Amino acid sequence: MRDLFGRDIDYMRISITDRCNLRCKYCMPDDLPLIKHDDVLRYEETLRICRAAVKSGIKNIKVTGGEPLARKGCVGFLRDLKSIPGIEHVTLTTNGILLAPYIDKMNEIGLDGVNISLDTLNPDKYRQLTGGGDFFAVWASLTKAVEAGLRVKVNCVAIIGQNDDEIADIAKLAEQMPVDVRFIEFMPTGVDTGFEGLPGDDILSRVREVYPDLSGDPTRRGFGPARYFKSEKMRGSIGLIDAIGDCFCPGCNRVRLTSEGFLKLCLFHEDGLDLREMLRAGANDGEIEAAFKAAVTHKPERHAFAGSGHGIKNMSRIGG
Ligand code: SAM
Ligand code: SF4
C-alpha cells in the first residue's frame, strides 16, 4: 500500500524478542531493562498481525530481535509465517551464534534468506565487541549456511577505531563465498559508546582499494535501502546502507513491529500504533487491518537523526 508520500510499503521487520545472547557495545546498554515476558507478543498474536499486514500490502517479512534464535519456537514461527498466503519472502537476521543446528530445518521450510551480523574477523575483537561472543560459532554457521545453499548476507556495522581496518578483509568474503557483504553506517541511537561510524563514502573507498573495478550494480535491488556494488572478482555483491550519508527515506518501504507489539513507522520517530493493546482489548481482524492501514498511511516523511537529540536506546527491542 502507498503512504502519503507515494511510497509502496511492502516490508515489515518483526522483533520477536528483546533478549539477546550477546551484548554488542553499540546495541544493548547494560542498564536497558528487559520487557516483562507477558508484555512480549505471543507468536499467535504476531501471526494475527501479520495476516492483517498482508491484507494491507506487506509482502516481505524479516524476523529479528534481540536475538531471534534465543526465543524458543523461532523456527516454527518462521514456518508459520511462510505459510501465510500473500507473503512472498521471509528472512531472518541473526548474530549467527545459535544458527548452525537450525540450517537444515530452515532450508526445509523454504526460508528465503538469512542475514548474519559480523563486525570483525578477529576472534578476540569479536569477543570484546559483542560482550563475550564466540567468533568460531558464527563462522561455523556462516560456512554451513552457504554450503547448504541458503541465501546469505553478512551485515557489518563499520566503526572508526574498532573495525575500520578490516573493511577490505570483510569485503573479500564476497569473493571467497557467494554472499553479499553489507556495510551499515553506524547510527546514533543514544547509547553512550563514544563510537563514531565510518561514513559510507570512506567504506566504499576502502573496498575500492582492493577492488578497483567496483561499480554500482543496478540489477540488484533488495527489499530495502541498500545500494549494491560489484567487482568482476566477486561471487556476491557489496551492499552499502548509509542512512546518514545518503538519506534513503524517499525510497523507504518498511515498517517495524517491536517485540511489545508496537507498530513503528520509522526507526527514528515515536509515531506508531499499539497493536498489542488493540489485540488484548478484543479487536477483531477487520479492526486490526483497518488500524494497520490507517497507521501506515501516515508514515513520517523522513528520519530525524542529525541534531534531533532523539535517542532510541533500544535497538534490540526494535530489531535494527
Ligand atoms: N541479534 C541480531 C543481529 O545481531 O543480527 C538481530 C538484531 S540486531 C538489533 C539487527 C542489526 O542491527 C544488527 O546487524 C546490528 O549490527 C544492527 N545495529 C544495532 N545497533 C546499531 C546501530 N547503532 N547502528 C547500526 N546498526 C545497528
Ligand atoms: Fe544482540 Fe544483535 Fe544487538 Fe548484538 S546487535 S546485542 S547480537 S541484538
Side-chain angles (χ1 to χ4, degrees):
M1 73 174 282
R2 299 218 171 254
D3 70 3
L4 287 179
F5 303 98
R7 296 172 295 194
D8 191 13
I9 311 301
D10 63 359
Y11 173 93
M12 181 159 75
R13 293 177 71 94
I14 304 176
S15 171
I16 58 169
T17 178
D18 63 325
R19 267 67 173 173
C20 187
N21 51 346
L22 297 181
R23 286 288 177 280
C24 298
K25 282 190 177 157
Y26 55 79
C27 177
M28 274 188 99
D30 290 334
D31 60 351
L32 187 70
L34 294 176
I35 302 172
K36 283 192 284 169
H37 277 289
D38 283 351
D39 289 343
V40 173
L41 281 192
R42 295 189 296 276
Y43 283 134
E44 313 86 77
E45 292 176 312
T46 312
L47 289 165
R48 263 190 80 191
I49 293 174
C50 289
R51 284 190 277 270
V54 168
K55 290 191 179 142
S56 310
I58 298 294
K59 297 181 189 138
N60 305 304
I61 289 190
K62 166 90 69 208
V63 174
T64 172
E67 174 48 42
L69 291 171
R71 178 164 173 190
K72 218 171 142 199
C74 175
V75 180
F77 174 67
L78 293 170
R79 182 201 54 223
D80 292 345
L81 280 177
K82 279 292 296 178
S83 69
I84 295 179
I87 290 195
E88 294 177 5
H89 297 94
V90 176
T91 53
L92 176 78
T93 290
T94 170
N95 59 36
I97 296 272
L98 303 171
L99 177 65
Y102 296 111
I103 287 170
D104 293 337
K105 189 76 193 160
M106 284 175 181
N107 252 339
E108 209 178 293
I109 65 172
L111 192 76
D112 297 288
V114 61
N115 292 6
I116 299 178
S117 300
L118 186 59
D119 297 333
T120 172
L121 300 174
N122 175 325
D124 291 331
K125 210 192 279 178
Y126 185 82
R127 193 174 316 109
Q128 204 194 333
L129 257 175
T130 59
D134 174 9
F135 167 81
F136 297 102
V138 186
W139 189 254
S141 295
L142 171 60
T143 49
K144 185 170 175 193
V146 171
E147 277 162 23
L150 261 179
R151 187 157 184 220
V152 177
K153 294 179 183 169
V154 173
N155 283 347
C156 168
V157 179
I159 302 167
I160 294 174
Q162 297 291 324
N163 62 355
D164 57 333
D165 56 336
E166 290 190 70
I167 300 298
D169 289 336
I170 295 170
K172 280 181 193 161
L173 293 176
E175 178 180 342
Q176 292 154 8
M177 312 173 183
V179 299
D180 292 335
V181 175
R182 305 183 332 150
F183 292 100
I184 304 173
E185 258 185 1
F186 172 70
M187 291 180 280
T189 57
V191 176
D192 187 15
T193 56
F195 285 174
E196 191 189 335
L198 185 69
D201 286 346
D202 294 356
I203 296 173
L204 273 187
S205 32
R206 286 177 199 212
V207 179
R208 282 211 169 91
E209 279 169 22
V210 267
Y211 297 105
D213 68 327
L214 196 76
S215 56
D217 182 356
T219 62
R220 283 295 316 279
R221 186 80 188 94
F223 307 118
R227 295 186 282 145
Y228 283 96
F229 302 84
K230 194 149 175 76
S231 153
E232 283 292 314
K233 286 188 180 168
M234 289 177 182
R235 299 162 74 189
S237 299
I238 298 295
L240 184 65
I241 304 178
D242 45 348
I244 299 168
D246 173 62
C247 177
F248 44 63
C249 302
C252 185
N253 61 348
R254 60 194 49 207
V255 290
R256 294 172 165 84
L257 184 65
T258 71
S259 43
E260 295 158 288
F262 187 78
L263 180 69
K264 214 169 153 44
L265 302 170
C266 171
L267 184 55
F268 273 77
H269 274 275
E270 298 296 340
D271 312 40
L273 172 69
D274 189 344
L275 284 163
R276 184 188 66 198
E277 191 181 34
M278 279 192 79
L279 281 171
R280 294 188 184 175
N284 65 33
D285 291 345
E287 286 163 341
I288 293 168
E289 185 189 330
F292 190 100
K293 277 190 179 133
V296 170
T297 309
H298 290 95
K299 183 173 157 64
E301 185 174 13
R302 52 182 299 141
H303 69 61
F305 294 122
S308 66
H310 185 99
I312 53 171
K313 270 210 175 186
N314 54 357
M315 198 66 120
S316 49
R317 282 185 198 172
I318 301 167

